[in-house]
Amino acid sequence: MYDLIIVGGGPSGASAGRTAGKRGLLTLLIEKENFPRYKPCGGALSSYGLSCLDFKLPESIIERNIPKVRAYFRDRFVEGMNEDNLAILVSRKVFDNFLLEKARKTGIEVHTGEEVLDLTEKEDCVEVRTTDNTYLGRFVLISEGSGGTLKYKVRPRDKKTEHRLGLVSEIPDDDEVIRNRFPGTIDIHFGVAQGGYGWIFPHAGYYSAGIVGTAQHLEHPKKVLMDFLKENGLSGEFPVHSHIIPKSGIKRKILNSRLLLSGDAAGFVDAFTGEGISYAIRSGQLAAESVADLVMYSLKLSSLKAYESGCRQEFGNYLASSLKLEKIMYRFPETSFKLAVNNREILDKYLDEVVTNRNYKDYVRWLLLNFCLAEPVSRIKSLTLEGNDKD
């Protein structure tokens, strides 16, 4: 009987495993892939994500430090910069494997190349059936990412409007050429896909480039990506990988009596930028802490709700505000970018308030004042009053 069984060895599962191991829980982590493995992702880790780690990330894992961003809309662009790094770029194959090894070193049991087929909640435990065996755990954390189906043991499926589709490709190039073209900069192209954007990130020896858009509006996603790459001088025959990106700010159930969800499985992804690594790491840690408190202090099952409240206090309000910004920026792309080009403070304030100080709510309020000068107030109100939070 394990105290905690973790399904998934990505950033959320590995972070949960490390926390559980340090707290002394008898823990089993099960991952269907053999690590290191490829993961479709731009590989941008924010300063908040870095701050969540309880160890320093080796320089060998950091491929680029990113202090600048260029935001494009059609033939115009605006550039923003932060004195501190906005993000670092990593290879998810390398980064995820490193996190899993950090978890393993705490003494937890790790099974890779083993897939969980089903979960059955019982009165005093959860039965976990895999391709190799059947295990019993007092609690199970589902950290399988956005593509798995085990999360539906806890919550309903998302509607098509509640997630986006991402496509990514890696294009090799000379490292010096990449450095000259993207000197500490990432490119974001709005207007490429409805409800999203295109992006180019300069990694070590290759570009990571892709698109993300609302799933219901991307009828021919691969064509959209190929057109985007060609327009930016990256045409060629390159492998394309797709993945689902849940929107945050939507109320989702994240726990049963003995099952918990974290990371993408819980829907913890910035609705505007699509960044989810940070929230995967932190939610995994918070889940393991809640289970550890319950096990160590013989608390009631209802005390697991501390995990839910912990996520809400740590980043829930932030992610809810990201959904409001997503509604504004992607429904009014012309107005949004016109304002950003004509008022440099919009991007500068975003980088300062949101990226650095993590104050989405105040930024959204300030931005709405600017929008009211360019759009009918009734249209702006219709966006801000959607959902349960009417502040």
Side-chain angles (χ1 to χ4, degrees):
M1 176 72 74
Y2 293 93
D3 293 321
L4 176 63
I5 296 177
I6 300 168
V7 182
S12 195
S15 299
R18 179 171 172 81
T19 300
K22 291 175 68 177
R23 287 293 302 270
L25 293 182
L26 183 58
T27 304
L28 168 64
L29 186 152
I30 306 172
E31 163 59 46
K32 67 179 180 180
E33 303 288 346
N34 288 306
F35 273 45
R37 56 88 174 95
Y38 173 79
K39 178 70 175 180
C41 178
L45 179 63
S46 68
S47 56
Y48 169 65
L50 275 173
S51 72
C52 292
L53 301 175
D54 65 340
F55 49 82
K56 184 176 175 60
L57 204 60
E59 288 295 326
S60 60
I61 291 180
I62 302 173
E63 295 190 333
R64 293 280 190 270
N65 291 295
I66 304 297
K68 293 188 292 184
V69 59
R70 292 185 295 223
Y72 291 81
F73 186 77
R74 296 178 182 154
D75 59 345
R76 304 186 70 181
F77 79 93
V78 61
E79 185 173 270
M81 182 173 179
N82 198 302
E83 291 183 1
D84 299 318
N85 282 336
L86 302 175
I88 63 167
L89 297 183
V90 298
S91 160
R92 285 294 302 275
K93 181 177 182 179
V94 175
F95 177 72
D96 289 11
N97 188 62
F98 180 78
L99 293 188
L100 186 59
E101 289 306 308
K102 294 292 282 188
R104 195 195 302 267
K105 287 179 180 178
T106 64
I108 70 169
E109 192 174 336
V110 177
H111 295 188
T112 57
E114 184 175 351
E115 183 176 3
V116 174
L117 302 176
D118 198 15
L119 304 172
T120 304
E121 281 192 272
K122 297 180 180 296
E123 185 177 347
D124 60 349
C125 67
V126 181
E127 184 180 273
V128 179
R129 185 168 61 87
T130 77
T131 49
D132 295 356
N133 211 332
T134 298
Y135 308 94
L136 298 179
R138 297 177 67 180
F139 299 95
V140 171
L141 175 63
I142 301 171
S143 305
E144 60 182 352
S146 61
T149 58
L150 293 173
K151 59 180 173 284
Y152 303 128
K153 295 280 185 178
V154 177
R155 66 174 179 86
R157 293 178 180 270
D158 287 336
K159 301 173 184 175
K160 280 191 175 182
T161 56
E162 295 175 341
H163 66 261
R164 293 190 287 181
L165 178 64
L167 277 78
V168 60
S169 186
E170 283 82 35
I171 300 98
D173 203 349
D174 181 77
D175 200 57
E176 191 63 29
V177 173
I178 296 174
R179 285 180 181 274
N180 290 334
R181 182 177 177 183
F182 292 88
T185 303
I186 57 174
D187 280 7
I188 306 294
H189 295 252
F190 294 101
V192 172
Q194 189 169 340
Y197 55 87
W199 46 269
I200 304 174
F201 293 172
H203 284 263
Y206 68 97
Y207 303 99
S208 178
I211 61 163
V212 58
T214 304
Q216 66 182 121
H217 297 305
L218 273 177
E219 294 184 5
H220 306 288
K222 188 172 181 180
K223 182 181 184 305
V224 174
L225 174 62
M226 291 298 105
D227 290 346
F228 171 66
L229 295 178
K230 186 176 181 180
E231 288 169 6
N232 287 277
L234 300 174
S235 58
E237 293 295 326
F238 309 109
V240 175
H241 305 273
S242 63
H243 58 291
I244 296 296
I245 304 172
K247 288 185 184 180
S248 66
I250 297 165
K251 281 199 170 182
R252 294 180 174 95
K253 189 178 179 184
I254 63 170
L255 59 86
N256 280 345
S257 59
R258 294 184 180 274
L259 298 179
L260 302 89
L261 305 181
S262 66
D264 281 16
F268 295 146
V269 178
D270 187 305
F272 178 59
T273 66
E275 197 267 320
I277 303 175
S278 303
Y279 313 105
I281 293 170
R282 189 64 186 125
S283 61
Q285 294 169 338
L286 290 171
E289 288 285 0
S290 295
V291 171
D293 286 345
L294 191 152
V295 171
M296 299 297 182
Y297 305 118
S298 301
L299 303 177
K300 294 181 179 179
L301 285 177
S302 58
S303 66
L304 270 189
K305 288 189 176 293
Y307 168 57
E308 202 168 35
S309 60
C311 290
R312 184 168 58 250
Q313 292 172 12
E314 178 87 18
F315 50 74
N317 292 332
Y318 180 90
L319 293 181
S321 295
S322 78
L323 182 61
K324 290 184 177 180
L325 184 62
E326 184 259 356
K327 290 176 181 177
I328 297 168
M329 300 297 281
Y330 293 140
R331 293 194 192 183
F332 305 115
E334 295 274 0
T335 304
S336 300
F337 205 79
K338 183 178 179 181
L339 281 172
V341 170
N342 295 332
N343 183 356
R344 178 63 181 272
E345 190 180 4
I346 286 180
L347 181 57
D348 290 342
K349 197 172 183 69
Y350 176 83
L351 297 179
D352 183 53
E353 290 286 337
V354 179
V355 177
T356 303
N357 298 318
R358 295 185 54 75
N359 195 346
Y360 241 133
K361 198 167 189 177
D362 285 353
Y363 178 75
V364 170
R365 286 173 172 168
W366 175 83
L367 188 64
L368 283 170
L369 294 177
N370 284 273
F371 260 84
C372 285
L373 301 176
E375 290 285 342
V377 175
S378 60
R379 294 184 70 190
I380 303 300
K381 282 184 176 180
S382 71
L383 294 179
T384 58
L385 296 182
E386 289 180 3
N388 295 319
D389 182 4
K390 297 185 178 182
D391 186 6

